[in-house]
Amino acid sequence: MNLPKSKAFVYLRRSQDREDRQQLSIDKQDAQVRKTIKEHGFSAFHLPAEEKTAKRPGRPIFNDMVARVAAHEARHIVVWHLSRLSRNALDAGQIIQLIDDGHLLSIVTPSRAYRNTPEDKAFLAIELTFAKKNNDDLGKQVAESFAQKTGRGEYPGPAPLGFMNIIVRPGVRNI
């Protein structure tokens, strides 16, 4: 694949600050992204890792990157997976608009590149929509799980101040 050799922002994000609940740690994302950078010959600028969920707009490092792409400080974004960039409609729209306007030449993941072609933008929009749907589905599943716990007389969350979580039996916890 022939991508213009120019500067790329490297965007890494983990959703939560708990290391044991990460899909892929920052170090593992970084290792895979570094291989991608080398394969494409980009001059990469590593942004600080974002440790905030993408389900709502308002991530400071992401917003700064978007502004800097619009200012042509870098023309590519390298990311482990598209879900790291966005799990909400506003941020997804900003990314696609940057490509439409010619500010962003490509988004590159270890598995593929998305450029300013009708096909790539369609796949990009679909994949970002699926990332949002996955996020919405998880929220629904959590709410259903809390309702089930409450229905069984269990407390549906971390123990409040003055109480402690206990393991009733394997797979069942209560306060």
Side-chain angles (χ1 to χ4, degrees):
M1 148 182 354
N2 295 324
L3 295 173
K5 304 300 180 223
S6 61
K7 293 180 183 176
F9 282 126
V10 174
Y11 184 79
L12 306 173
R13 180 184 67 79
R14 65 179 183 188
S15 314
Q16 300 178 9
D17 55 7
R18 285 186 51 188
E19 191 65 37
D20 62 327
R21 295 186 64 178
Q22 294 309 305
Q23 185 172 15
L24 196 66
S25 73
I26 295 294
D27 292 339
K28 289 179 184 175
Q29 287 181 49
D30 187 50
Q32 290 185 10
V33 165
R34 284 182 188 274
K35 289 179 190 174
T36 304
I37 292 165
K38 188 175 182 179
E39 288 171 7
H40 293 281
F42 289 129
S43 170
F45 181 78
H46 288 258
L47 298 166
E50 187 116 56
E51 296 194 12
K52 189 173 180 185
T53 182
K55 69 181 178 181
R56 300 246 188 275
R59 293 170 287 147
I61 295 168
F62 175 84
N63 290 340
D64 181 57
M65 178 183 67
V66 166
R68 292 170 73 182
V69 166
H72 293 207
E73 286 185 40
R75 304 298 302 275
H76 308 272
I77 296 174
V78 182
V79 65
W80 168 72
H81 191 274
L82 288 178
S83 67
R84 302 295 84 199
L85 280 178
S86 174
R87 288 181 177 265
N88 70 75
L90 181 62
D91 291 346
Q94 285 183 297
I95 292 294
I96 294 168
Q97 193 64 49
L98 286 170
I99 292 174
D100 271 345
D101 293 344
H103 299 298
L104 186 59
L105 298 179
S106 71
I107 297 172
V108 182
T109 70
S111 61
R112 77 169 287 179
Y114 303 84
R115 292 170 280 186
N116 194 1
T117 67
E119 296 79 15
D120 282 356
K121 289 187 291 187
F123 282 114
L124 178 62
I126 290 166
E127 290 186 39
L128 290 173
T129 300
F130 275 116
K132 178 174 179 4
K133 182 181 182 326
N134 177 265
N135 192 67
D136 292 348
D137 289 346
L138 288 173
K140 183 178 176 184
Q141 291 167 4
V142 168
E144 290 169 355
S145 293
F146 279 6
Q148 287 177 347
K149 279 185 145 188
T150 302
R152 293 190 305 258
E154 298 173 23
Y155 190 78
L161 188 61
F163 293 83
M164 58 187 256
N165 288 318
I166 60 165
I167 298 173
V168 177
R169 63 183 175 278
V172 178
R173 297 172 186 242
N174 207 351
I175 61 166

